Amino acid sequence: MRRRLVSAAVVAVALSGISVPAAFAAGVSGQDETFLKGAHQGNLAEIAAGEDASKNATSACVKKVGAVLVRDHTKLDADVKTLAGKVDVTLPASPTAEQEKELAAVRAEAGSTAYDTAWLTAQETAHRKTLALIDQELEDGQNAEVVAAARTARPVVAMHLEMVRGGTCHEAEDAGTVGAGTGGHLAAADDSPATVGMVGTVTGGGLIAAGGAAWLLRTRRRPAGEN
Amino acid sequence: MTRRRRAAVFLMVCGLTVCGLGAVAAGWLTWSMTRARPDDAGSLPAGVHRAVSGDAREASAPVRVHGPAGLDAAVVPVAARADGDLALPSDPRTGGWWSLGAQAGAPAGTVLIAGHVDSRRGGLGPFAALHETPVGADVTVTGADAEVRRYRVTARRTYRREKLPTDLFARTGPHRLALLTCAGPYDRGSGRYARNLVLYAAPRPGRLPRPGH
């Protein structure tokens, strides 16, 4: 009996080893792994496209947007690489073949006025694909930190998409202000007791001072001896 | 009335008049002082903090912030709109973490978390508690990895909205937490507050190690 159980256990372990190698190799699900790899390659592609724009774009706007892509995707990728190391996912060293082909096609327009439009159009497509990759992870991801990485990237990618929407360039300001309140309730909470106190004190004090001054003036004006 | 008595009454009325004037002055001064912006206090976190191991793996995106005076809010990653204004969630009960800044527990940089102080309909939200949070108070930030990181408030500052220090939006520099909300005065015409309140906090050592590490 025991021998059968042992051999059954050995077979079970062997089978699990064969059937789910990916799950044992990495600490995360297939979906999480797909996202990390895709996010990394997307970041590499955006950095390459941004660097190309700074060389070959004809308008200042596209050059600026290119610089923003390089800056932001470098930051996002630093966190993706750290996380991949943490959960044992090996990242590819370069963008996908398709991404490289797309950049090559845009590069081919370098030196002509068609470059900027080609660049912007390619970027709009690329960012929509990245949003789809992110949304897939938000829907099906299992590892809390990988899902958080997707959530972290989403507003940045969405902001980039706005800059290239419709194949036209829309420059955006760097983050710099925080408008954090619209209700006016804080002002009301601060003001009322102080205002009431002020009004009371000033009125009371004013009445006393006015009364005193009036009496003093009256006595001064009357000749001595009268009451 | 005798001359002496008249002199006494005269002096008394003088005294009352002076008191009355004093009350007017005191009332006005007190009122204008309470209306002024809250005092700046404390000093900004500086230098290298060895509170965490310095390993970027220790960092995680903030998902919750908690502090005294009722500060308790979920936090979501946010980016800036085209005009450079952080696109915070409209519900003041959820804060925004600038997702291009430092993560909680990172070896360097500023973790910027902001929240609306209030909304028209809802009144004051949890971020209004920042106004009641003193220097020396402890604030915690929970990451997506479920770890709780502790910070201690070292400074309170207010700035005009257009003059927010640009180094708040930085992944470099000493690691610190910056908690932001709005501060008065409030302009009813535009429906906006003129200033920001910023609480700077330095990481506190003594985070419990994760099981198995």
Side-chain angles (χ1 to χ4, degrees):
Chain A
M1 179 64 175
R2 200 193 239 179
R3 223 187 292 156
R4 256 198 233 143
L5 279 174
V6 167
S7 42
V10 168
V11 169
V13 168
L15 275 177
S16 62
I18 291 165
S19 62
V20 206
F24 280 124
V28 293
S29 70
Q31 165 57 47
D32 292 329
E33 193 174 337
T34 299
F35 171 75
L36 282 172
K37 290 179 164 165
H40 176 62
Q41 288 179 301
N43 287 331
L44 292 178
E46 295 305 333
I47 291 165
E51 282 170 347
D52 202 74
S54 65
K55 282 197 295 253
N56 295 319
T58 47
S59 70
C61 182
V62 173
K63 282 192 204 269
K64 171 83 198 283
V65 173
V68 168
L69 292 186
V70 172
R71 182 194 64 194
D72 294 351
H73 283 279
T74 304
K75 287 181 181 176
L76 289 175
D77 207 46
D79 292 340
V80 164
K81 285 188 292 205
T82 302
L83 183 53
K86 209 164 154 180
V87 297
D88 289 326
V89 166
T90 309
L91 296 177
S94 52
T96 65
E98 194 189 331
Q99 286 164 336
E100 301 209 292
K101 213 170 87 177
E102 272 155 19
L103 182 56
V106 171
R107 262 202 195 117
E109 308 285 356
S112 79
T113 50
Y115 178 92
D116 284 15
T117 311
W119 190 91
L120 290 162
T121 308
Q123 283 309 306
E124 183 174 14
T125 308
H127 281 85
R128 287 189 194 282
K129 284 188 181 154
T130 305
L131 279 180
L133 175 78
I134 287 170
D135 288 340
Q136 186 68 58
E137 174 65 18
L138 292 179
E139 175 132 354
D140 290 334
Q142 305 217 288
N143 180 287
E145 290 190 81
V146 180
V147 171
R151 205 166 273 130
T152 295
R154 203 185 197 288
V156 180
V157 175
M159 182 248 298
H160 291 169
L161 179 58
E162 288 309 302
M163 292 197 285
V164 301
R165 189 180 284 280
T168 49
C169 191
H170 314 275
E171 231 181 285
E173 303 264 345
D174 290 343
T177 57
V178 180
T182 53
H185 296 281
L186 186 76
D190 275 347
D191 282 353
S192 357
T195 309
V196 167
M198 181 275 286
V199 168
T201 312
V202 168
T203 311
L207 284 172
I208 293 171
W215 188 92
L216 286 167
L217 282 170
R218 256 188 64 213
T219 14
R220 289 286 178 146
R221 258 195 253 124
R222 277 212 218 115
E226 279 192 22
N227 288 351
Chain B
M1 203 192 290
T2 64
R3 223 172 159 195
R4 206 192 245 173
R5 206 148 169 234
R6 187 120 57 92
V9 171
F10 180 80
L11 276 174
M12 201 174 72
V13 174
C14 276
L16 271 175
T17 311
V18 168
C19 285
L21 289 171
V24 172
W28 178 258
L29 265 175
T30 313
W31 181 75
S32 59
M33 271 163 57
T34 55
R35 289 208 75 204
R37 71 185 105 102
D39 287 343
D40 288 352
S43 54
L44 270 60
V48 176
H49 292 284
R50 298 191 54 80
V52 291
S53 64
D55 185 352
R57 291 169 168 226
E58 302 288 325
S60 188
V63 297
R64 183 147 216 104
V65 65
H66 182 90
L71 175 66
D72 189 40
V75 172
V76 298
V78 298
R81 281 187 286 260
D83 61 1
D85 207 42
L86 223 52
L88 296 179
S90 48
D91 183 350
R93 290 170 297 182
T94 303
W97 162 62
W98 185 55
S99 74
L100 289 170
Q103 297 185 330
T110 302
V111 187
L112 195 162
I113 296 178
H116 284 299
V117 75
D118 61 12
S119 63
R120 259 183 211 109
R121 274 198 175 167
L124 294 174
F127 280 84
L130 293 182
H131 285 269
E132 312 300 323
T133 303
V135 168
D138 279 351
V139 173
T140 62
V141 177
T142 307
D145 58 0
E147 292 281 342
V148 178
R149 282 120 181 126
R150 291 193 292 175
Y151 294 83
R152 177 158 285 170
V153 177
T154 64
R156 290 167 58 98
R157 296 283 187 273
T158 67
Y159 307 95
R160 283 183 48 199
R161 210 168 40 82
E162 320 80 56
K163 294 261 161 83
L164 204 55
T166 48
D167 66 9
L168 283 170
F169 298 91
R171 276 167 74 108
T172 52
H175 182 62
R176 61 188 184 175
L177 171 67
L179 296 170
L180 276 75
T181 193
C182 272
Y186 178 75
D187 177 359
R188 275 175 221 286
S190 64
R192 287 205 294 206
Y193 288 93
R195 304 181 72 84
N196 283 117
L197 170 66
V198 182
L199 262 55
Y200 294 92
R204 282 200 63 209
R207 187 161 67 86
L208 291 171
R210 288 178 67 188
H213 282 235

